[in-house]
Amino acid sequence: MIKLIDLEKSVRTGLNRAWILNQVNLEIKAGEFVTIMGPSGAGKTTLLNIIGMLESPTGGEYHFLDEPVHRLNERKRHDIHKQYMGFVFQAYHLIDDLTVYENIETPLLYRNVKGKDRKSIVADILDRFSIVAKKDLFPDQLSGGQQQLVGVARAVIHKPRLLLADEPTGNLHSKQGEEIMELFRELNEEGVTIIQVTHSEKNAEYGSRIIEIVDGNIRTDEQVRKSASVYGTK
Amino acid sequence: MLRNYLLTSLRNLYKNKLYTIVNLLGLTIGLSCVMLISLWILEQYSFDNFHPNGDRIYRVLENQYYSDGFVLTTSATPGQLAASLKTNWPEIALSSRVTWGDEKLFKVDNKVFKEKGYHADPDFLRIFNFPVIAGEGADALEEPGKILITTKMAEKYFGHTDVVGQMIRVDNEREVQIAGVMADVPDNTSFKFDFLLPLKDYEKNNDWLKNWNSNGIRTFLMTTPQSPNLNEIPDLKEYLKTVSDQDNADLLFQGLADMYLRYDYKDGKYQGGGRITYIRLFAIIALFIILIACINFMNLSTARASTRTKEVGIRRVSGATRGMLIRQFLGESLLLSIFAGVFAVVLVQLSLPAFNELFDAHIYLDFSKVGVWSLLLGITLLAGFLAGSYPAFFLSRFQPIEIFNKLGKQGKGANWFRKGLVVTQFAIATFLIVGTMVIYLQMNHIRHQNLGFQKENFIYMPVNGTLWDKYDLVKTELTNLPGVQSVSASNGLIYQWGNNTSSVSWPGKDPEASILFQTIPVELDFMETIGADLVDGRDFSAAFPADSTNFIVNERAAEMMGLQQAVGERITVQGDEGQIIGMVKNFRTNSLHVEQEPVILMHRPWKNFIFARLNTDDTQQTLGQIEKILATHNPAYPFEFSFVDKEYEKLYRTEARVGTLSRLFAILSIFISCLGLFGLATFTAQQRTKEIGIRKVMGASISQLSTLLSGEFLKLVIVGFVIAAPVAWLVMHDWLERFVSHIELSWWIFIMAAVLSISIALLTISLQTIRAASINPVKALRYE
């Protein structure tokens, strides 16, 4: 599904060039649940953003479903992004002025889904995430966990093939975090490819593969052995 | 404390440059408009206000009632009226006749110029305050042979003002003695003159002045201090009936102060209009413009409130009372408005010459006058208070706890208020757009109106000196020029004939009927020269000697006489009987403000103007040839001519000026409104960065986001239009009613105005919304 070859991201700071990502080679197959870990500033989020087509790499190749993304124009990239990807943020990023229902509906509006269809799709997901009762509330009337639930619902409402999550449980306490991760596992089992960035060993265990990034490079890339945590540094 | 406030204010203004510039620019333009308009209004009100006994001075008007219901209100009065009123009415202390304004040719040595002045009775200088600097005053007007001239005129002819006793040649026929020198006439007077000649001089050549039934001169009166308002004396009103045969007329006395501002009579009564209408109109426009500029300030200040709430919180926690904060924020807006005021004064000073030129005004900023300073300062401070009051109360309202708890959040109330203000701005702007368009279309309509004569390629020349004696020769020579199609003459101008009479009788006339006809003495070839069409019969012709007593009528006259077949009938006009030999299609004899008049043309030798229809590609060359011919036959006078179409435009000068002004102010008010919209759009875009980022990640495209952001502003603009449209319809409908022939207020004018204001608004905000929509969501959503 995703193939990165010698991917680079650099920024110019004065006369110097600083590499955020350097020579990243990575292949992710459909159906995987990948966790990206690493210390702060290692380039995890940048990598996630590049995969999510929110940022462009400065060098190397990025193939998504055999399309050479690095050669596509903005419009085409936007279309792929719109069709295949869903995002979950650490800070939820719900629109304050919209209700839960309207927030979840937003992605459908941008995909020209008809009104009647929208209603049933949103109703389904509200039901599935057990937040029907909350549908007319505004984000600031919800707890953090509930807000993130809405965030996830919004991210998957248009049935993306790839779900990208940047520290999805970073602002939640452990109980709420577990709920979200359980949800991720379910989605993964239904066939959604997931890439998450996290600092939490526990969250990583929900995934099938862990990639550790240090200083813009992939240091380790291993399948998760379901028995124990061997990366325990924290 | 003050220093602290001042510093915070200045830093705040400096830090938010866009906000400062938008406010400063808007306020500066707004203030300049208001200052200009205020100065203009003051000038208008100052007209004729320098006469010490102004409240005792009247102009005599006469109402003439005709059997068809028409009432003519005129300031033309009988020549005997002034003296008779003064003799017989103890209330009237002084009275003077004044001519309408005469042009005379003056000659001293080899200096020859035309000057404008009046013939007046001695009381003229006793009623009005036109100071005499040297020599005789009013007494000089007692007997013919003397003249009073202004300083300016003395300088022009003699190079100095010590000229009392000198002789000056008038109209190349006689010498008169300069009896006195007067101060130059100020700009703000209804009387503009450089010389005064005794009315007795005028009387010699104008026998009709002795006739009580001929109206042709103005009469001014001054009452005794004890006298009541002249209009309250019933017998005085009916005085004409007792001394003359004018039994269909009564008198009306217009106060001096009203003469310039309130001349608007219909059906014998003052209708509330005149120049005062335009003063009111522009006062309202000035108010609108400053309101729009102040709204910008209010909008931007409250929109930006979130950036100031922290400061408010800290100040309150440190012990500031609400009053102190209000003073601080008011001070800030005053500071800004004072900056704007200074710029505005500069702008006014720079634009005054153009303004004066355009509107024939004489305004200047006299900084030595306290009044001017207080006017400018007053306007500036008022704007500052108006703009700053709401933000000050709004910002100071916050409670510190609230502020720290939810930093950056504002109540929905402010939002509504802001929206209301934007709606107000665009309602005003739309109103002005509609008004401007209607005025423009109406003026265009008038310009292209079928007048019944061809006003293009058509010139007239005044008959000066002895030119009239050689008319036939001049006509032959002029007609021989290749560029001249035909030549004729008449006693009046093509749109201002000036001779009315009701002394007309025709077969079958109701003995009670009195109808006012326009009578026009003309020369041969008149129809061809002015380009009017004969409907029936023929033009005057040299082949019919009897034509010197015959008449041609227009369709309107035939209609009012009730003649089915006018040509061939015999009528009597002012005692002269003759046959109607032709009927001419109606042609305009006055402005389109009034109804078509009935006209009787006659072939009589009393002419003031020669007309020529040109038929040439090289107008300059033809004019040169005409000048040569006139110079040969009338060497004492300089060549003078005017194009009829240009003169015709002057009839609508007031409307044209109002049109230009309203166009200018409409553009400015749109500009200021857009400035505010721009600032608001910028700020909103900044505030909604996060939301835009989220929507983008959710898959929104740039165009979808721009639509979302613009849509909210567009809604406001549209609501503004919906409010303004009916008001504009009512007002403009009313305005158009002043014209007898006017355009219809069709729906497309409003659609155009809507499209215009929406597209301008869209253009203004699109830059900001597209920029906001193009933002990189990664940056927008970066964690704090």
Side-chain angles (χ1 to χ4, degrees), chain B residues 303 306 408 410 418 682-691:
Chain B
S306 56
Q410 322 173 27
R418 218 152 46 225
T682 311
F683 183 74
T684 312
Q686 274 169 16
Q687 237 184 358
R688 292 176 73 174
T689 310
K690 187 189 128 191
E691 182 193 333

Side-chain angles (χ1 to χ4, degrees), chain A residues 49 54-55 78 81-82 87 89-91 93-96 98 106-107 109-111 140 154 166, chain B residues 409 412 690-691 694-702 704-705 708 776-778 780-783:
Chain A
N49 284 341
L54 299 178
E55 272 183 82
H78 181 75
H81 166 92
K82 209 158 109 172
F87 268 82
F89 305 94
Q90 177 178 5
H93 283 332
L94 301 179
I95 299 175
D96 298 333
L98 301 183
T106 313
L109 294 174
Y110 295 131
R111 286 164 182 80
D140 56 5
R154 184 181 60 179
D166 195 355
Chain B
K409 291 220 168 147
K412 294 237 187 262
K690 187 189 128 191
E691 182 193 333
I694 299 170
R695 286 183 185 273
K696 243 185 145 172
V697 176
M698 295 297 122
S701 66
I702 292 180
Q704 280 166 327
L705 284 173
L708 173 83
N776 184 346
V778 175
L781 299 178
R782 189 159 285 159
Y783 311 125

